[in-house]
Amino acid sequence: MTRPSIYRRATLACLTLAVLALSACGADEPKQIKLQGQLAPAGQDVTLPDDASARVSLIETNDDADGGDQIVAERTLHGLGQPPVGFTIVVGRALLDRTGDYALSAQILNGDGDVIWQSRSPRDVAVFDQKNTTKLELQPYRMSPDGPFQAFRCSDGFNFQLANNERGALVRLGKRQINLRAAKSLSAGSVRYVDTHKDEIVMGNGVTSIYFDGVSHHDCEPVTAGDNKSGSDQSNEDTKPAEDAPADGQDNGRHDNQGNANGDDNAAPGDA
């Protein structure tokens, strides 16, 4: 056997071993990432309503001034008991980017769906380090603006109430309240508010538009209490499309888990 043949075989053997080693490393990685933590409302002797629920969101953060944060996974918990409340949120590894930055945020809602506790800001989390438990400290919910609320009616009949200032906006839709933060405006003379669910309000040049639950409503104008055609005190149930998804449901392709606080009925595919 010639010396080049020996070298060639040795090189092929080394390449084969390298490929097998890389394949074995990939096979050892779980297909899902499981993040665990606790929700801890601030203060002592905090009592939650019996019908309270919690919403925990995993967010891919973005420092872009346009507010490019994306919800990657979200889970709704029921049967919370009393704090601290444990949670588990599961997300497919394929949805995560090793170069991305991620954070957890949470809200606690009463039986009417109103937010009563919320995290002050999203907390950074190392998603690929599953050994850590994240503690999210929650504060009593306070709307950004102090009011007063102004009723609006859009050209398609959609009604809402709005209070806003330079820091943020609060929208009332029946029993629902949506808190939005001030974001970079897209045109001169306008103001813009957004949240992590991609809800958005744009106000400028006497025109207001709202994008909510995946539907846009334009030419929204203020109405007075004496305007009996405004319908500002009636529900939007008859103006919202039937396909509108509830706020806690799956939206924009995000991975959504629902279950009780101890995670017994976490419905993530493939979760053993």
Side-chain angles (χ1 to χ4, degrees):
M1 181 181 296
T2 63
R3 188 176 299 274
S5 298
I6 296 176
Y7 289 153
R8 190 180 303 112
R9 291 188 178 184
T11 301
L12 290 174
C14 290
L15 290 174
T16 302
L17 290 174
V19 170
L20 291 175
L22 290 174
S23 300
C25 290
D28 290 340
E29 288 189 344
K31 294 182 178 180
Q32 292 182 323
I33 297 293
K34 182 180 294 186
L35 304 174
Q36 296 180 316
Q38 288 185 331
L39 307 180
Q44 297 180 347
D45 300 326
V46 175
T47 301
L48 299 177
D50 292 338
D51 57 358
S53 61
R55 184 165 54 219
V56 184
S57 303
L58 175 65
I59 303 168
E60 183 174 7
T61 59
N62 192 329
D63 293 333
D64 190 340
D66 290 338
D69 293 353
Q70 301 282 341
I71 293 181
V72 180
E74 191 168 80
R75 186 172 182 208
T76 300
L77 307 174
H78 301 280
L80 303 184
Q82 297 307 317
V85 177
F87 69 85
T88 300
I89 186 168
V90 177
V91 58
R93 181 180 291 270
L95 297 176
L96 302 174
D97 183 352
R98 284 197 172 274
T99 63
D101 296 319
Y102 297 91
L104 286 168
S105 67
Q107 297 174 324
I108 293 179
L109 304 86
N110 62 21
D112 291 328
D114 296 326
V115 177
I116 55 177
W117 293 86
Q118 67 177 5
S119 48
R120 182 183 301 273
S121 60
R123 178 170 177 178
D124 294 341
V125 60
V127 293
F128 294 103
D129 183 3
Q130 302 183 57
K131 298 179 181 179
N132 294 332
T133 298
T134 304
K135 184 177 182 180
L136 297 179
E137 295 184 355
L138 308 182
Q139 62 182 2
Y141 178 77
R142 295 288 186 270
M143 64 181 183
S144 295
D146 296 326
F149 282 85
Q150 170 66 57
F152 283 80
R153 175 166 52 89
C154 305
S155 59
D156 60 359
F158 187 82
N159 303 286
F160 64 94
Q161 292 183 326
L162 172 68
N164 65 296
N165 58 21
E166 70 280 0
R167 293 174 288 124
L170 185 68
V171 178
R172 286 179 177 172
L173 293 170
K175 294 182 178 180
R176 297 179 66 180
Q177 291 193 150
I178 302 93
N179 195 39
L180 303 97
R181 60 177 176 82
K184 181 181 179 181
S185 62
L186 303 179
S187 61
S190 67
V191 293
R192 178 169 167 255
Y193 305 98
V194 300
D195 67 6
T196 54
H197 292 274
K198 293 187 176 296
D199 299 323
E200 181 180 45
I201 295 177
V202 178
M203 308 176 70
N205 301 318
V207 178
T208 297
S209 298
I210 182 171
Y211 180 83
F212 183 73
D213 280 352
V215 180
S216 295
H217 309 278
H218 300 288
D219 300 324
C220 307
E221 298 181 351
V223 295
T224 63
D227 186 356
N228 57 13
K229 293 187 297 181
S230 70
S232 59
D233 59 344
Q234 70 185 38
S235 169
N236 288 299
E237 293 299 324
D238 55 348
T239 63
K240 291 175 64 177
E243 67 269 20
D244 277 7
D248 292 341
Q250 222 163 346
D251 185 23
N252 296 320
R254 65 177 181 261
H255 186 87
D256 190 19
N257 301 296
Q258 294 194 3
N260 58 21
N262 59 23
D264 289 342
D265 55 351
N266 193 323
D271 185 24

